[in-house]
Amino acid sequence: MAENTGFILIPLVLVSVFFGIYSAGSDHFAALFTDYELDLNLWQVFCLSVLGFFIAFNYWNYAVEKLIYKNNHVLDNEFRKDSRIPKATYSFLDLDAERMSGVISFVLLNILLVFFIITYNYGQFYEAVKTPVQLSEETHERVNAVIMSIIMAILVIMFYFKSGFNFDPKAGLLKILAKIWIFLNAILVVSAALKNYEYIVNYAFTYKRLGVFAFLLLSLIGLALTFIKIQKQKKNIFLVNTMIWYFYGTVLMCSYFNWGGFITSQNMKRKDFAVNYHLTSINFSEKALLKYADEKNDQKLKRTLQAKVKNEMSKTFLSKIIYYQTIK
């Protein structure tokens, strides 16, 4: 009975979850099978989540201090010696059955992901040109599906490689299949990046479209760290500890760059350049817009920009923004 659970139930649950994610990201993939609809009462989910957080907060508000001291070792990236002995995760499932469950799961998930990548890229590169609304909806759906797929992929790998299988001498095939799955997910991320780039080529740069690249970059980093976790036999907390630093570093590096100026300077090269949008909705774009006004001899735009810069420069010292002090 336990082996049947490991060989059938766990792979079936994993395949069902990823089938839902991939179906949401590609109409062609969904068309290969019968329609799939996830019926959830979001209000109930929200209420239960709020209640759960309330109970958890009130409990941990009293217990967290002792738990931190007692379980400080949980935050270590490396396994302790007494945790390196391969053993089954659950009492009803022995180690061999759990290992075979993982092999079956990853084989099925790899096959499912290959089909999704094929249909995903077919819809992207071989279908007729979409309208702006269709392209926008497709891009959002596919990027969301990819990010969700990456998150679930990392969680599944964390489930199987949380302890024993990291040091199981018989888990070689399981590790190879997991690494193949990581590689296929990386291909999926690249495909999503190309889709987002197509969107930008057709309809210009925006903050959100650049933000998609940032999320996809972090997804690739997460996959790379997951590969390192398997290869170097790290604990699951290694992914959390390291990704926090990468996320912080990404935010820190992005803060040094004037994205508003970059967006405006790039979009200025387009024939459909929307001046009012960049004037009102893009921050710190005045330098590029002044250059544009001079090139187009648009005196009205130039006067508007000069008035805005003058107003910013006349503010008190603590309210001034350094960017406007550099505009001549």
Side-chain angles (χ1 to χ4, degrees):
M1 182 65 182
E3 291 186 358
N4 291 335
T5 301
F7 296 164
I8 299 174
L9 184 59
I10 295 177
L12 181 62
V13 170
L14 293 176
V15 170
S16 298
V17 172
F18 280 89
F19 177 82
I21 295 173
Y22 297 153
S23 296
S26 173
D27 292 335
H28 293 285
F29 181 82
L32 295 174
F33 309 91
T34 56
D35 292 336
Y36 180 87
E37 182 179 355
L38 187 63
D39 186 13
L40 287 177
N41 188 323
L42 295 179
W43 177 246
Q44 289 183 359
V45 172
F46 174 76
C47 290
L48 290 174
S49 299
V50 170
L51 179 62
F53 277 115
F54 174 78
I55 295 173
F57 173 79
N58 281 277
Y59 171 74
W60 288 112
N61 191 40
Y62 297 98
V64 67
E65 184 177 357
K66 293 180 180 179
L67 285 175
I68 286 178
Y69 287 112
K70 291 181 179 179
N71 298 291
N72 189 48
H73 65 276
V74 174
L75 298 177
D76 293 337
N77 292 333
E78 305 293 340
F79 285 98
R80 295 188 299 180
K81 291 183 179 180
D82 58 350
S83 301
R84 299 187 178 191
I85 302 173
K87 57 183 178 180
T89 305
Y90 306 104
S91 58
F92 64 86
L93 202 63
D94 62 33
L95 188 61
D96 291 334
E98 188 174 350
R99 186 190 308 110
M100 184 55 66
S101 167
V103 170
I104 295 173
S105 297
F106 280 115
V107 167
L108 294 176
L109 290 173
N110 279 324
I111 294 173
L112 194 67
L113 185 51
V114 167
F115 273 101
F116 179 70
I117 291 173
I118 293 172
T119 55
Y120 183 100
N121 286 284
Y122 174 81
Q124 177 170 333
F125 296 110
Y126 294 102
E127 281 194 334
V129 178
K130 305 291 193 309
T131 64
V133 174
Q134 288 175 325
L135 186 58
S136 174
E137 289 178 352
E138 275 195 2
T139 302
H140 292 154
E141 288 175 358
R142 294 183 178 190
V143 169
N144 288 339
V146 169
I147 293 176
M148 203 52 202
S149 173
I150 300 304
I151 293 173
M152 290 301 300
I154 294 174
L155 289 176
V156 169
I157 291 174
M158 289 173 68
F159 170 76
Y160 277 109
F161 290 94
K162 56 186 174 297
S163 56
F165 288 132
N166 288 278
F167 306 97
D168 185 359
K170 298 180 181 180
L173 179 59
L174 182 63
K175 292 182 179 181
I176 292 173
L177 290 171
K179 291 174 183 177
I180 291 174
W181 200 35
I182 292 173
F183 176 73
L184 290 175
N185 275 284
I187 293 176
L188 194 58
V189 172
V190 173
S191 297
L194 291 175
K195 185 67 177 179
N196 190 53
Y197 177 73
E198 177 193 7
Y199 193 22
I200 289 174
V201 168
N202 285 290
Y203 303 107
F205 284 90
T206 65
Y207 285 120
K208 290 183 179 179
R209 293 164 197 169
L210 288 175
V212 168
F213 281 129
F215 275 109
L216 293 177
L217 176 62
L218 288 172
S219 297
L220 278 178
I221 293 173
L223 289 172
L225 291 175
T226 306
F227 182 90
I228 293 173
K229 172 206 157 21
I230 297 174
Q231 187 71 18
K232 301 293 185 181
Q233 299 173 323
K234 302 286 187 179
K235 292 172 63 176
N236 284 342
I237 197 65
F238 162 78
L239 294 176
V240 178
N241 292 339
T242 314
M243 276 306 300
I244 287 174
W245 281 108
Y246 273 103
F247 180 80
Y248 173 72
T250 301
V251 173
L252 190 63
M253 287 189 294
C254 287
S255 67
Y256 283 99
F257 193 77
N258 181 7
W259 294 105
F262 172 79
I263 290 171
T264 304
S265 62
Q266 294 301 311
N267 291 345
M268 279 168 47
K269 302 172 184 177
R270 303 176 60 88
K271 294 180 180 180
D272 58 350
F273 179 57
V275 178
N276 289 333
Y277 170 77
H278 292 79
L279 181 62
T280 58
S281 301
I282 303 297
N283 299 320
F284 310 127
S285 60
E286 286 75 14
K287 284 184 180 180
L289 287 175
L290 281 169
K291 180 181 178 182
Y292 177 84
D294 288 334
E295 291 176 352
K296 302 297 182 181
N297 196 25
D298 189 338
Q299 297 302 317
K300 181 180 179 181
L301 175 61
K302 188 173 183 178
R303 287 194 295 271
T304 302
L305 290 167
Q306 288 175 338
K308 182 178 180 181
V309 172
K310 184 178 180 180
N311 179 61
E312 291 290 341
M313 294 181 69
S314 63
K315 290 182 178 180
T316 58
F317 177 76
L318 294 179
S319 299
K320 285 184 177 181
I321 299 175
I322 297 177
Y323 169 79
Y324 292 104
Q325 313 308 312
T326 62
I327 300 177
K328 298 180 180 179

